[in-house]
């Protein structure tokens, strides 16, 4: 790379193009595989959500070369449109994996792109996984520096920063050279979007789909000689400067080979905003100690990160989507039902007067000293007793990860809602052996689902 | 509309859906026609720029139903991809019409969408013009409130705010109801992007293409029941709040039927950033009074808006694109050659040592008291004389508009670079009679160009 004015861009481009799977620690490769597997389950399950119907209608009308599969929908379309649909589907239940320090869903915008290009190009599992790791690491390195501030300001980091991850992964799959990849990242950055104002609507899951499509478009254009601002990550007037007034992303370009962000990734075992999970764990722990009737509860005090209230303080959720962003609703579910999976985020739960009763007793309190994986819950009973729980590492976070079995159980439940059992079993095995796959198009075909 | 929490969104939706051509003043209809005509010329001319080749390659690989024409390229593709290509082509030379008070190019993101949908749906000229007016008025009303601040912050308003215009126009063409249109505008806002950091690269003209495509996608999705944040224009956490900390867009929703933003639109007669035009006029006027050899000039002092220096202060342009954003280059061209058309923004001009010599003598000075259509130039000669010019209304701005003939001369020069003369003549006539056209697809076919 040319030395000088764009050190962050140059270093990230060098990292992406220099990445070789043989040099990646096995634990990182396993984390990448788990992330892609978890992503695939959520994308397949998302195919039966209403937003997938709307996207499928638009895609059917638009048309495109049959390059890539829209998972679960039995349709192939252009890589651009398949990335859009799969990126939206995976986030429809807000159940995909989360990188908490970067405040983003790391697979959501990256996996759709590598899967679409792998199918189109008949790429190997190893090459696909390498591109996934490149995109994931790049976006989470940026997210670690500006993700929290972006979220506080009103940006949906999964989309805004995910656009860079998608472009990097696409650039890797398409074999861009260093100059082209820098342009691709510039073109990606100028498309970066996604506002938290959309939370609670279908536009929220649309975000990573758009980020995937935009990042892929950037890389496809750069391959054809299209230019963008290579100072996008370095200049004071680049993305971080314009969005936040932040002028130094240098930390994103440090410690290559020592720091692997994939090791800090989390799996969601609850179908809600990740920032509610520690609170759900606390509620479940309290319920495990002492099942509580709603009328035995006087008040529920939850101490959470200020960020949790920024992202997930829907006070009166009216839809399942809004309920996923209601720490009050999540706390009530945990205390009353002991879980917060797909089955709990329904119109019926929202309409349940007992749930409403307990929700009204929940007071979330912001506490800046709390870790992002932690929460504290204190339930005061009508008989005067107080039950407390402190969670330091929510289930699925790096300090409390599940096993591969846990992950596959979740995958099979999600994929099994769409695909027949033998297909789900075959996909589970295929994802386990992903790094050895000769042609990822065969795996995509397994995920196609009913036409 | 439902009353209450989203007064700006509700009022704009009511305006768009209530617009009838019979109630629009003839001067506004003529201004809309001129804007679309000028847009078409720039989009056809842009089809032979390198960025159009790159887009065409990506579009060819992607495929799509042949719904709409990529003008000048002899290809039909999906309405989404045609909007992308035509929106980028029209801005390739930075020669499309400009709404200075809104700091955006009003046709760039809107015209591609109405043209693509009109062709796909075989709509009449009157319906197409109505949708164009709706989109143009909506985006410029928003741009008038926040355009200047967005630009100062680093946003390319043509793209960010243009996304709303594209969605509104598409919603109008697609016959969305009020609820759907509000969702479409919410989905549009969360895709709004485009950074001035991209100026000087192909990503700049890509912006309106992406805005057109994103706005159209928003409307297509909303028609299928997709939801977005209807508070996008009203909530403090909506677009204006997140981008700028601005919480009141109320002025955008005032004076309907009294204020027509199309009457404040400007035509570009120079192929550079509009903020340089008054300076070019000043230079041309000085040259008309006294042709100057480069070595007779000691210094050139230009007083311009601070915004001009924000957008167009490329000190050492290396490419024609960068030269369009160099008030120094533009001043030198005006003084040396007496024009600043397509022919002046070339590699050869940039490499010309005489141009470099004069550019080095130009000192732009920011002056907040200057109007956006105005400039002042003071040339000091080596013999001690000083020649000054004050321009209050640059050529093509509302205070100094050209005739329809001027516009058609420009159109024919641009379109004539791509299409044969009889085709250009037919298109000129067709655009003059656009409001009476029965099927806009016939006009799009005239603009198709060589395959």
């Amino acid at each position: 790379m040319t030395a000088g004015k764009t050190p962050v861009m140059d270093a990230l481009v060098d990292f992406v193009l220099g990445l070789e799977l043989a040099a990646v620690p096995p634990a990182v490769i396993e984390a990448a595989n788990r992330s892609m597997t978890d992503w695939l389950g959520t994308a397949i399950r998302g195919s039966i959500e209403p937003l997938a119907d709307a996207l499928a209608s638009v895609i059917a009308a638009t048309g495109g070369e049959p390059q890539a599969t829209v998972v679960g929908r039995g349709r192939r379309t252009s890589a651009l449109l398949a990335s859009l649909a799969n990126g939206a589907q995976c986030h429809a239940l807000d159940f995909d994996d989360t990188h908490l320090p970067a405040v983003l869903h790391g697979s959501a915008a990256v996996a759709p792109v590598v899967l679409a290009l792998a199918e189109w190009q008949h790429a190997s599992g190893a090459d696909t996984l390498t591109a996934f790791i490149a995109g994931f690491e790049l976006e989470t390195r940026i997210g670690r520096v500006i993700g929290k501030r972006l979220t506080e300001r009103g940006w949906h980091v999964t989309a805004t920063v995910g656009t860079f991850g998608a472009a990097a992964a696409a650039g890797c799959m398409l074999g861009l050279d260093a100059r082209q990849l820098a342009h691709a990242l510039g073109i990606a950055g100028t498309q970066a979007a996604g506002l938290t104002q959309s939370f609670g609507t279908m536009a929220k899951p649309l975000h990573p789909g758009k980020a995937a499509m935009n990042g892929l478009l950037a890389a496809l254009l750069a391959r054809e000689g299209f230019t963008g601002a290579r100072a996008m990550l370095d200049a004071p007037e680049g993305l971080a400067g314009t969005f936040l007034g932040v002028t130094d992303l240098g930390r994103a370009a440090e410690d290559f080979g020592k720091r692997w962000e994939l090791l800090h990734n989390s799996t969601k075992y609850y179908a809600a905003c990740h920032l509610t999970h520690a609170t759900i764990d606390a509620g479940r722990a309290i319920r495990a100690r002492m099942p509580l009737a709603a009328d035995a509860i006087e008040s529920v005090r939850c101490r959470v990160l200020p960020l949790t209230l920024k992202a997930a303080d829907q006070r009166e959720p009216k839809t399942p989507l809004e309920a996923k962003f209601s720490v009050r609703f999540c706390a009530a579910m945990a205390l009353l039902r002991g879980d917060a999976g797909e089955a709990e985020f329904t119109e019926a739960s929202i309409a349940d007067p007992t749930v409403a009763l307990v929700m009204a007793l929940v007071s979330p309190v912001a506490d800046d000293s709390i870790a992002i994986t932690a929460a504290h819950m204190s339930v005061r009973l009508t008989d005067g007793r107080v039950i407390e729980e402190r969670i330091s590492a929510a289930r699925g976070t790096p300090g409390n990860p599940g096993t591969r079995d846990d992950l596959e159980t979740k995958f099979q439940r999600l994929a099994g809602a769409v695909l027949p059992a033998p297909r789900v079993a075959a996909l589970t095995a295929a994802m386990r052996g992903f790094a050895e796959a000769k042609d990822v198009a065969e795996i995509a075909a397994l995920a196609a689902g009913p036409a």
Side-chain angles (χ1 to χ4, degrees), chain A residues 291-377:
Chain A
L292 297 169
D295 60 8
I297 300 173
E298 186 175 300
S299 70
V300 181
R301 197 156 168 280
C302 304
R303 281 197 294 119
V304 297
L305 257 193
L307 198 59
T308 304
L309 293 190
K310 175 86 187 168
D313 194 27
Q314 287 276 353
R315 278 149 197 261
E316 296 179 8
K318 302 260 185 296
T319 65
L321 270 173
E322 288 178 358
K324 293 168 191 290
F325 291 91
S326 169
V327 70
R328 295 162 204 258
F329 182 89
C330 294
M333 278 294 132
L335 288 167
L336 292 172
R337 305 204 189 160
D339 208 350
E342 309 92 284
E344 278 69 39
F345 293 93
T346 61
E347 302 283 354
S349 301
I350 294 165
D352 182 338
T354 311
V355 174
L357 190 73
V358 175
M359 273 183 72
L361 304 175
V362 178
S363 315
V365 180
D367 181 344
D368 216 356
S369 71
I370 276 185
I372 197 161
T373 60
H376 173 262
M377 185 183 282

Side-chain angles (χ1 to χ4, degrees), chain A residues 174-305:
Chain A
L174 293 169
L176 299 192
D177 64 25
R179 188 177 165 282
Q180 291 167 330
L181 183 56
H183 282 302
L185 292 169
I187 301 166
T190 208
Q191 298 178 78
L195 300 174
T196 54
Q197 180 68 35
S198 298
F199 285 13
T201 79
M202 291 183 194
K204 199 239 181 185
L206 182 69
H207 290 166
K210 268 312 297 303
M213 181 175 163
N214 290 344
L216 174 54
L217 178 65
L220 289 169
L221 286 171
R223 185 169 65 164
E224 303 297 332
F226 218 88
T227 59
R230 64 176 301 139
M232 189 56 74
L233 298 172
D234 288 279
E237 302 83 14
L239 180 122
T242 301
F243 282 39
L244 295 171
V246 169
T247 55
D248 184 13
L249 292 183
R251 202 152 58 84
E254 289 171 359
D255 307 325
F256 289 113
K258 290 179 209 158
R259 168 157 61 95
W260 291 96
E261 294 292 352
L262 269 159
L263 300 178
H264 302 278
N265 199 30
S266 296
T267 307
K268 275 191 167 187
Y269 287 104
Y270 308 121
C273 173
H274 221 136
L275 295 163
T276 67
H277 285 211
T279 300
I280 294 168
D281 279 331
R284 293 179 78 203
I286 288 173
R287 185 172 182 276
R289 279 161 56 189
M290 181 190 300
L292 297 169
D295 60 8
I297 300 173
E298 186 175 300
S299 70
V300 181
R301 197 156 168 280
C302 304
R303 281 197 294 119
V304 297
L305 257 193

Side-chain angles (χ1 to χ4, degrees), chain A residues 91 96-108 136 138-144 147 151 156-162 265-266 274:
Chain A
H91 205 50
D96 46 324
D97 58 308
T98 313
H99 191 284
L100 291 168
V103 204
L104 59 75
H105 298 273
S107 65
F136 190 106
L138 183 134
E139 68 180 349
T140 47
R141 282 172 163 272
I142 297 171
R144 195 180 267 277
T151 307
H156 183 197
V157 190
T158 301
T160 46
V161 176
N265 199 30
S266 296
H274 221 136

Side-chain angles (χ1 to χ4, degrees), chain A residues 358-395:
Chain A
V358 175
M359 273 183 72
L361 304 175
V362 178
S363 315
V365 180
D367 181 344
D368 216 356
S369 71
I370 276 185
I372 197 161
T373 60
H376 173 262
M377 185 183 282
S378 167
V379 178
R380 176 177 292 274
L381 303 183
T382 48
D383 66 12
R385 280 179 300 173
V386 174
I387 318 175
E388 295 191 65
E389 271 292 341
R390 264 169 228 283
I391 301 293
S392 62
R395 184 176 171 220

Side-chain angles (χ1 to χ4, degrees), chain A residues 92-130:
Chain A
L93 296 180
D94 225 307
F95 211 4
D96 46 324
D97 58 308
T98 313
H99 191 284
L100 291 168
V103 204
L104 59 75
H105 298 273
S107 65
V110 174
V113 168
V114 298
L115 186 69
L117 290 176
E119 184 177 358
W120 187 11
Q121 303 178 340
H122 294 279
S124 71
D127 286 347
T128 307
L129 213 46
T130 305

